[in-house]
Amino acid sequence: MTELRLTPAPLSTQMFGLETTSSGREVTHFLALQEYVDPVDLEFLWQCRFPRAAWEVLPAERQVDGAVELTPGVLRVSARSVVHGPYLPLASLVDAADTMSASSQDTAPHPARFAHGTSMVWALTTIRERGEAPVPGGGDRDGLARIFAEGLPTREELRQVTALVALARYLGASAHFDAVEPPSTRMYRIENDQERYRSITPDPAANVDRIIYSDVWLDPAAALRIAQITLPSVQFMPTEVPWEGPEDPSRFLYREHMDLTAEQIESIHEAADQHDREALETANPVSAFGLVFEARDGDIITVEIGGTDELPPALQGVDWAAAGVIEYRISWVPQDLEDWHREIPSFDLRKRRTRYIQMVRDLTKAFYSATSGEISDLDGFLHDPAQL
């Protein structure tokens, strides 16, 4: 196997000409991987969140003494954020300007404390924009309230941080955040920086729900039949308010303030009755509906079907979506919502989740076979139907 040589990850922030503000400065977070990710695939994944993401400088390979040396590339995500790398999961103790010439004796364990088995890291440099500390007691499925306990990211940094967590979840990787102000402006001194970086390894299994975007509309009867092939006890969701017939129009008539004859009142009643009869005789097309499966343990699976104007970034502008898009949203909702919104749910919930993941995937496969289109998860990443 050919040896792959990488540049050590920079501790100090490299300059990429980002658009800064008077209150913001550059900050670098990391994505730690155990396996190599092709730069083309990485670009596509970032485009699922930021459609204009593109390589400014591709990582370059060259043969050196029988090994492959990989020079870091630069992926422009936005005017204020870039992804660069890949790097060796060690930090250079020299200034960022000299990173490329750092030798092996100039490296030391990175303060982000990358997990054992990490083979390479990608760096995300963005603008540091922090707000208030998180409110105690709320849900924290992504762990951001724990990581940014002193002040949650806002605006551009929030968009990039949530994307990095989503990417880590999709790739089974870890995200490492420069979440706390370093104790010294001399950023290459790492002795006291051990608490500067906080990490999260999102559980890929937590991303249960799937959404099909298609230009094919299934009428309620057909959709119910498709769902019942997978889960025979699926039923239509109950309507919000049952219709109880026409209202008495006389309740809108204040005769003490209006001079109406008996004939006029009778005429109003007849007109109202005629309007109700016509409404009952005219079939209004259904534009949205839902299906539900209720399990014995109190968990439910829902299928919500209707038109949508909100597409994930990766599908915005595609030709087939121009005439309108139908969304088939297949979701698992456990009974214990508080447990569900924890960063690490209980073992019982995670055990049940395994069963419901397969149900959601089976329903997704059944509906996709009838509608085609594209399959997305809640993070906006597209999925290959063959992997269902």
Side-chain angles (χ1 to χ4, degrees):
M1 183 176 180
T2 304
E3 179 188 356
L4 185 64
R5 296 181 181 175
L6 301 172
T7 301
L11 262 180
S12 51
T13 302
Q14 293 186 344
M15 302 302 294
F16 294 98
L18 303 184
E19 294 181 2
T20 60
T21 64
S22 58
S23 60
R25 62 169 175 76
E26 293 183 4
V27 63
T28 298
H29 309 301
F30 294 93
L31 176 69
L33 299 166
Q34 294 194 354
E35 297 180 356
Y36 178 75
V37 175
D38 188 276
V40 175
D41 295 335
L42 187 70
E43 180 185 47
F44 173 74
L45 290 173
W46 277 101
Q47 287 173 343
C48 286
R49 303 289 297 228
F50 304 95
R52 295 184 180 180
W55 286 107
E56 289 185 345
V57 180
L58 272 169
E61 295 182 3
R62 66 172 183 170
Q63 294 288 333
V64 179
D65 299 331
V68 175
E69 185 176 278
L70 195 59
T71 304
V74 178
L75 176 67
R76 174 70 59 174
V77 177
S78 73
R80 308 181 72 191
S81 302
V82 297
V83 173
H84 47 107
Y87 297 110
L88 193 69
L90 294 174
S92 172
L93 295 182
V94 299
D95 186 80
D98 300 323
T99 297
M100 294 300 296
S101 61
S103 60
S104 59
Q105 59 265 32
D106 293 325
T107 61
H110 198 283
R113 290 179 287 184
F114 299 119
H116 178 72
T118 299
S119 62
M120 64 181 59
V121 298
W122 291 87
L124 166 67
T125 297
T126 187
I127 302 301
R128 186 186 189 280
E129 296 179 294
R130 307 285 166 85
E132 299 294 327
V135 178
D140 189 27
R141 294 185 69 188
D142 285 345
L144 296 184
R146 171 182 61 81
I147 292 169
F148 296 94
E150 293 78 13
L152 288 170
T154 62
R155 297 183 292 274
E156 175 71 2
E157 189 180 17
L158 176 60
R159 289 188 289 270
Q160 299 301 334
V161 161
T162 54
L164 197 65
V165 172
L167 199 63
R169 181 163 36 237
Y170 183 88
L171 294 172
S174 298
H176 301 258
F177 297 100
D178 189 348
V180 183
E181 281 287 351
S184 170
T185 57
R186 300 179 64 192
M187 298 178 68
Y188 54 82
R189 295 183 59 186
I190 65 172
E191 300 95 309
N192 298 317
D193 278 359
Q194 294 302 311
E195 296 304 320
R196 174 177 156 192
Y197 289 84
R198 293 173 183 159
S199 307
I200 181 174
T201 303
D203 185 356
N207 205 342
V208 178
D209 299 0
R210 292 292 181 266
I211 308 170
I212 301 172
Y213 296 97
S214 174
D215 58 356
V216 175
W217 165 259
L218 294 176
D219 65 61
L224 179 63
R225 178 56 182 159
I226 289 171
Q228 287 180 337
I229 293 174
T230 301
L231 296 174
S233 58
V234 169
Q235 299 295 330
F236 286 115
M237 286 186 184
T239 56
E240 294 182 359
V241 180
W243 191 71
E244 297 178 349
E247 295 182 289
D248 182 1
S250 62
R251 73 184 185 90
F252 298 106
L253 302 179
Y254 300 92
R255 279 176 286 185
E256 64 270 25
H257 300 296
M258 304 175 66
D259 188 14
L260 297 177
T261 65
E263 290 78 9
Q264 288 174 319
I265 294 174
E266 184 178 357
S267 177
I268 291 173
H269 277 273
E270 290 179 356
D273 291 342
Q274 178 63 26
H275 174 79
D276 289 328
R277 283 193 294 271
E278 291 176 355
L280 291 173
E281 292 171 358
T282 303
N284 294 321
V286 175
S287 59
F289 62 96
L291 309 173
V292 61
F293 165 77
E294 299 183 21
R296 293 180 179 178
D297 57 15
D299 293 6
I300 65 173
I301 290 179
T302 62
V303 183
E304 299 172 86
I305 302 171
T308 183
D309 295 325
E310 298 181 3
L311 297 177
L315 296 181
Q316 293 175 5
V318 296
D319 292 340
W320 60 265
V325 175
I326 307 300
E327 177 185 271
Y328 297 82
R329 183 179 291 264
I330 304 168
S331 305
W332 166 60
V333 183
Q335 184 181 37
D336 190 342
L337 296 180
E338 182 178 353
D339 191 7
W340 187 40
H341 283 93
R342 293 193 181 107
E343 182 181 352
I344 303 178
S346 67
F347 174 77
D348 178 66
L349 185 141
R350 284 180 282 138
K351 182 174 65 175
R352 298 201 323 273
R353 184 179 64 192
T354 302
R355 181 171 71 254
Y356 287 105
I357 285 175
Q358 191 57 51
M359 292 182 184
V360 168
R361 290 180 178 176
D362 289 344
L363 282 171
T364 303
K365 185 175 181 179
F367 276 96
Y368 179 81
S369 66
T371 63
S372 297
E374 296 286 352
I375 301 172
S376 169
D377 60 26
L378 292 184
D379 286 327
F381 296 120
L382 301 184
H383 288 254
D384 185 348
Q387 296 178 346
L388 293 173

